[in-house]
Amino acid sequence: MKKSSFVALMLGTVAGVLFALGMCMALIPEWNAMEPGIIFGAVGVLLGLITLLVWRKMEHKVPIRVSGKTVLTILVGIVGALGLGVGMCFSLVWSRMAMGIGIGLAGIVVLLCLIPLTKGIKE
């Protein structure tokens, strides 16, 4: 394993755990820890972005160029993930199984659209 991959693995794991813990703290009412949860989640996101920058620097890659395609890809990913999550909430939390399955499948289709958007379609 390359040093850059190991560093990215460690930093990414810590970032993911902090983000997940922060979301649990903020969204589970029994914990009564909304403000610390938001702080933990924000630190996790920030550490994730730092991980990306550190890994790219260690791999000697060019900085990420923000273009219209990059912004569109991020927006499609966010919409797809939110659709899948809302579908799961409809099914598991609000007991609206048919609507939840429909919304969740729509979210999955939107996420599948990321493949041709990022990789392109070749013959």
Side-chain angles (χ1 to χ4, degrees), residues 27-96:
L27 298 175
I28 297 176
E30 291 84 12
W31 289 13
N32 203 16
M34 174 70 89
E35 291 174 11
I38 292 172
I39 293 169
F40 268 69
V43 168
V45 168
L46 184 64
L47 189 59
L49 292 173
I50 290 171
T51 300
L52 177 68
L53 295 174
V54 166
W55 178 78
R56 290 186 70 81
K57 182 78 170 171
M58 289 179 80
E59 288 287 318
H60 305 294
K61 295 188 181 264
V62 295
I64 297 174
R65 195 173 45 90
V66 178
S67 65
K69 183 179 178 184
T70 304
V71 173
L72 178 67
T73 303
I74 291 169
L75 288 176
V76 168
I78 290 170
V79 168
L82 285 174
L84 181 58
V86 167
M88 290 178 66
C89 286
F90 266 88
S91 295
L92 300 173
V93 177
W94 301 318
S95 300
R96 308 269 318 259

